[in-house]
Amino acid sequence: MQAFDIATQSLLLPSGLNNDALLTIMGKLLAKNIDHADLYFQSVYQENWFLEDSRVKEASYNIDQGVGVRAVSGEKTGLAYSNDIVLSALENAASAAKSIATSGQNNTVSFNKQNKIIQPHELYLPLNPITTLPDAQKISLLHQIDQEARALSPHITQVMASLAGVYEVVLIMNNQGEMVADIRPLVRINVTVIAEQGNRREQGVSGGGGRFGYQTFLENHSASHHVKEAVRQALINLDAKPAPAGMMPVVLGPGWPGVLLHEAIGHGLEGDFNRKGTSAFSGRLGQTVAAKNITVVDDGTLHNRRGSLNIDDEGTPTSCTTLIENGVLKNYMQDKLNAKLMGMQPTGNGRRESYASMPMPRMTNTYMLPGEHTPEEIIASVKKGIYAVNFGGGQVDITSGKFVFSASEAYLIENGKVTSPIKGATLIGNGPDVLTKVSMVGNDLKLDEGVGTCGKDGQSVPVGVGQPTLKIEAMTVGGTG
């Protein structure tokens, strides 16, 4: 009940709102043709600190709060919102949302006036991460990062470091009389370094975070870990030679390379794309869509992970949803609207960027389960190919599954051994096709460090990715060599 009490005190009481007022608003939302309605209250406190040229150049603190009022009729959704949480604004928003969604099915939604407070998961502590470290220590940590990076190599000429903290409070009420709240802490650290040698200038990047306080960066020395990792990448890239081009075996490293799985495959398994028939996986439930050694899940219930949530943004508890099992397509990720229209159950994947945004099916932590091979066995099986360890940017077409991803850290594999670092490697392929060409899956599942942010329809939400080491038998590599 702690989250519910905090949310009520911070979101409702300052404006004099109480249970009777919310019931009144819900009553105004419900009319003939409306089959679902909810209220989504949210407050977000966010800070950012940024160091460059050995100085903390930027620091910001923002507060945003408001309420989204939603009415659903068939496939139509009416959403109105206000950043002023007062009764009059709620009444106006309810009237607007209802009018948007007035046409549709000829039924009247039920309205349960007996509120039921839902107890969600407890995947992270309901703390305010911004207050877990004094500002002076945040500044000191950024300077420490700068000094450590420069001390590791004389080739490091520039260091950029940042800290970000978010304290989010949400309260949701729907026409079933359910009320649920969540307190969502989130922190992130990022380190970027530039290394120079002669005419070469290369970059290294590392970062991490999750749903905990800043003190975690100090307790387990993860700040120093990210410094060393960023410097390591930059120095390796100084020695990298142009990547080869052509069709060849590709080995993907564990952890962050799961972003390729997220983009090229994960989006295609979201319910809205499949309901509309615009995904490469539409209508393929129960069919073999991948190699038999592949199982993919979306799991929003991992403790303290960046992509985890106690509840999604419709109040549904998050879950571990098996999407692909032993190569067979088992499920899609669903919010309430698309699940109902497809005759399926919500999976706790209804997410929204803010109270001013529409909920839609989104990923949480999406990853591939481990297999039976060691990473050494996988590398040893490749006569000539590339080993991609980290990725930068990429593009994907949801309908076709086609993608292009650039590797920020990659190596040649020659006669079963990892040899020279390469630069400029681009992986080009089709997500559903690549799934069928995975011949070996490692036993070294790793999740990313906690930096993922996913964009869809203009909305960005924090996510997690992961995978074990994978061998793809043949893949197009774009290179400069």
Side-chain angles (χ1 to χ4, degrees), residues 400-415:
S400 67
K402 293 180 180 178
F403 64 82
V404 178
F405 270 86
S406 59
S408 58
E409 181 184 355
Y411 303 83
L412 287 177
I413 303 176
E414 299 173 293
N415 297 316

Side-chain angles (χ1 to χ4, degrees), residues 126-170:
L127 54 81
N128 183 348
I130 294 173
T131 63
T132 59
L133 204 65
D135 290 350
Q137 280 190 258
K138 297 168 190 173
I139 294 171
S140 176
L141 177 58
L142 291 173
H143 283 296
Q144 176 186 326
I145 289 170
D146 178 74
Q147 294 162 9
E148 285 187 17
R150 295 179 187 278
L152 286 172
S153 171
H155 296 296
I156 301 301
T157 58
Q158 190 170 357
V159 179
M160 290 158 283
S162 64
L163 290 172
V166 178
Y167 175 59
E168 179 183 3
V169 181
V170 300

